[in-house]
Amino acid sequence: MAARGAEIYQKMCTACHKPTEKFIGPAPKGVLTRRSPEWVMNMILNPDEMVKENAQAKKLLMEYNGSPMANQNLTEAEAHDVLEYFRTL
């Protein structure tokens, strides 16, 4: 799962996210110490709803100069693979 997640991350996420450093968006390294797996999955799958309804997502939006996370339209299985990749960082 993590290997598939790494491939998806490389293809879909690296325009805005670097694995271990801030970029246009936050680094995913250590995200699971800061957020629950459910929160991460929701952010991957429903970024538009999250920045409207979730206080932490709103704060991140402001921290990153109002640059919203693009909805990559991943499936739940793909998002779970990406989450598993994040566990390896």
Side-chain angles (χ1 to χ4, degrees):
M1 289 176 75
R4 286 191 309 261
E7 290 175 14
I8 295 165
Y9 178 84
Q10 287 297 319
K11 180 180 174 187
M12 307 296 287
C13 308
T14 56
C16 297
H17 297 275
K18 303 279 185 200
T20 60
E21 61 188 77
K22 285 184 172 187
F23 189 48
I24 295 168
K29 183 177 182 172
V31 69
L32 295 169
T33 63
R34 299 185 304 273
R35 308 281 185 261
S36 70
E38 294 82 9
W39 190 96
V40 174
M41 288 288 290
N42 281 327
M43 194 65 193
I44 292 170
L45 293 170
N46 304 302
D48 299 326
E49 281 183 38
M50 287 291 284
V51 297
K52 288 178 185 173
E53 299 177 14
N54 183 273
Q56 292 172 326
K58 288 178 187 180
K59 184 177 176 186
L60 282 172
L61 180 66
M62 299 318 315
E63 182 179 339
Y64 288 88
N65 301 315
S67 296
M69 183 166 141
N71 188 336
Q72 298 296 330
N73 297 305
L74 298 181
T75 66
E76 192 170 324
E78 289 169 329
H80 192 249
D81 290 348
V82 172
L83 176 72
E84 291 305 315
Y85 167 63
F86 289 170
R87 291 182 195 280
T88 70
L89 297 175

